Amino acid sequence: MNIDIKTVQVEPRRHTFGHIARRFGADRPASRYEEATLDVQATDNFHYRPMWEPEYELYDKRRTAIVMADWYAFKDPRQYYYAAYNIARANMQQAVEQNFAFVEKRDLLAQIAPAWMRAVRDYLLPARHAEWGANMNMTAICERGYGTAITAPAIFSAADHLGMAQQISRIGLMLDGGTGASLDEAKETWMSAPYWQGIRRAVEDSLVVKDWFELFVAQTVALDGVLHGLLYGAFDRAGQPHGAAGLSMLTEFMVDWHEEHSRWADAQIKAAAAESAANKALLQQWSAAWIAKAAQAALPLAEQVLGAGGEAAVGEVRAAVSDRMARIGL
């Protein structure tokens, strides 16, 4: 008996989803990023107003002074949607695990000079609390923001900050043999050491900012820019003569993350500034005020770690963040 197998090719009636077709025209193929991002924001049938802010709808464009004709102008240059983000972070985490295993196997943290080890406990371990504040801020941006193009990457950023807090905690556990004593000490340092109180105040002030786009500028430009520039830039370089190369390996994720994250943040601010002169003026005001505030807040910590060189280090970091804003037109 002969069996003939025939294939039938079925042509789909359209090659894209309705929300893509309505935006770009019928039958335009879309990337996974576009399918998962564009016009996903809920716009109707909210049923009730939030009791904590009854003057707004549940999702409301008016929660920021920034005005956009199209809230999907905030394109992510990394093209992150849920799957792409997780794949990228999984690859980065593999490198983190390899670095931790290498440092632990070679006992590289034992090569850090005792005086610099004290500095590490002073500046690095308490920073996990600043990362927790950043996690809260980026979560608030996701909750209060409008348009999936910016709120989805915001919650990815929140997860990143939580991950960095956990990595710092893991370093603390390596330093104290897994007892957790170093983390208890770091919390006390965060709460009461004079050189951390400026940063702590800046973080707590950011937690109550109502305008979510101002909060976006405060966190992604000022607080991230200044703190990461000091902790993983100036302080890290200062530690190299003291045997802290192993610590650099353990914090390499933060360096790579900040470079990638800044590209996304800058693209959003640039898009908002290009929309109108009013937007640009607001962004200039917010960025200048928060950069100055973050730099001033970080000065005591820089002086604690670097001594007389602290002021110059803060000046360099502040100039780098300001130059970053100048490059996107602010």
Side-chain angles (χ1 to χ4, degrees), residues 13 23 43 47 80 83 105 112 116 120 123-124 139 144 161 178 189 192 219 247 249 260 280-281 284 320:
R13 297 183 63 181
R23 176 172 281 268
T43 58
H47 302 298
Y80 277 174
K105 183 178 180 180
I112 300 176
W116 189 254
V120 170
Y123 83 78
L124 181 61
T139 301
R144 298 178 63 81
H161 282 290
T189 300
S192 60
Q219 184 62 60
L247 190 64
M249 293 180 65
E260 179 209 273
K280 184 175 181 180
Q284 288 173 328

Side-chain angles (χ1 to χ4, degrees), residues 125 128 164-174 182-183:
L125 302 190
R128 70 195 190 107
M164 287 185 283
Q166 291 171 338
Q167 288 182 20
I168 295 172
S169 300
R170 190 172 173 184
I171 293 171
L173 293 173
M174 289 179 68
S182 65
L183 303 184

Side-chain angles (χ1 to χ4, degrees), residues 4-323:
D4 293 331
I5 300 176
K6 297 181 179 180
T7 60
V8 176
Q9 185 172 357
V10 178
E11 288 291 334
R13 297 183 63 181
R14 66 182 186 190
H15 293 84
T16 192
F17 292 99
H19 66 289
I20 300 296
R22 287 189 292 273
R23 176 172 281 268
F24 294 117
D27 230 26
R28 174 195 180 277
S31 67
R32 293 293 189 192
Y33 168 73
E34 290 173 328
E35 290 176 350
T37 302
L38 298 177
D39 297 310
V40 178
Q41 172 71 58
T43 58
D44 299 294
N45 303 322
F46 299 144
H47 302 298
Y48 64 90
R49 289 176 178 267
M51 291 183 291
W52 58 94
E53 282 180 335
E55 67 273 23
Y56 295 124
E57 294 285 357
L58 205 58
Y59 303 107
D60 203 313
K61 302 172 184 177
R62 297 173 297 155
R63 281 197 169 97
T64 176
I66 295 296
V67 178
M68 301 292 292
D70 180 10
W71 288 91
Y72 290 89
F74 297 116
K75 302 295 191 299
D76 186 347
R78 307 165 302 176
Q79 300 279 288
Y80 277 174
Y81 60 100
Y82 184 78
Y85 165 76
N86 279 286
I87 291 169
R89 289 296 175 267
N91 291 335
M92 293 178 75
Q93 185 62 28
Q94 279 187 327
V96 169
E97 293 299 331
Q98 290 172 353
N99 287 347
F100 268 86
F102 183 87
V103 169
E104 193 167 16
K105 183 178 180 180
R106 300 294 198 280
D107 199 18
L108 295 184
L109 294 187
Q111 298 180 17
I112 300 176
W116 189 254
M117 180 63 77
R118 180 66 262 171
V120 170
R121 292 175 181 270
D122 282 343
Y123 83 78
L124 181 61
L125 302 190
R128 70 195 190 107
H129 298 283
E131 294 293 357
W132 174 84
N135 166 268
M136 295 290 288
N137 282 338
M138 297 311 295
T139 301
I141 291 166
C142 177
E143 187 268 328
R144 298 178 63 81
Y146 192 88
T148 314
I150 195 166
T151 58
I155 203 63
F156 299 155
S157 175
D160 291 336
H161 282 290
L162 184 60
M164 287 185 283
Q166 291 171 338
Q167 288 182 20
I168 295 172
S169 300
R170 190 172 173 184
I171 293 171
L173 293 173
M174 289 179 68
L175 293 177
D176 64 24
T179 66
S182 65
L183 303 184
D184 292 336
E185 179 187 352
K187 181 178 179 181
E188 183 59 33
T189 300
W190 169 260
M191 295 294 290
S192 60
Y195 47 88
W196 268 107
Q197 298 317 296
I199 296 173
R200 181 183 163 204
R201 177 181 290 275
V203 170
E204 291 178 356
D205 285 348
S206 71
L207 292 173
V208 295
V209 172
K210 290 292 187 182
D211 188 304
W212 64 267
F213 213 102
E214 180 184 356
L215 180 58
F216 183 88
V217 173
Q219 184 62 60
T220 65
V221 175
L223 294 174
D224 284 347
V226 170
L227 277 180
H228 278 249
L230 286 175
L231 268 61
Y232 311 114
F235 295 173
D236 186 78
R237 290 191 295 273
Q240 298 311 303
H242 303 284
L247 190 64
S248 301
M249 293 180 65
L250 300 184
T251 58
E252 184 65 16
F253 174 91
M254 288 72 153
V255 177
D256 295 340
W257 174 86
H258 188 252
E259 181 179 353
E260 179 209 273
H261 190 262
S262 296
R263 285 196 303 115
W264 167 67
D266 292 356
Q268 313 319 298
I269 296 170
K270 184 176 181 179
E275 182 76 10
S276 68
N279 281 1
K280 184 175 181 180
L282 272 175
L283 293 166
Q284 288 173 328
Q285 174 187 333
W286 290 339
S287 60
W290 277 99
I291 291 170
K293 183 169 186 170
Q296 185 63 34
L299 182 58
L301 178 63
E303 291 175 339
Q304 172 72 16
V305 177
L306 302 177
E311 185 174 359
V314 170
E316 290 176 7
V317 169
R318 179 175 179 174
V321 179
S322 297
D323 289 346

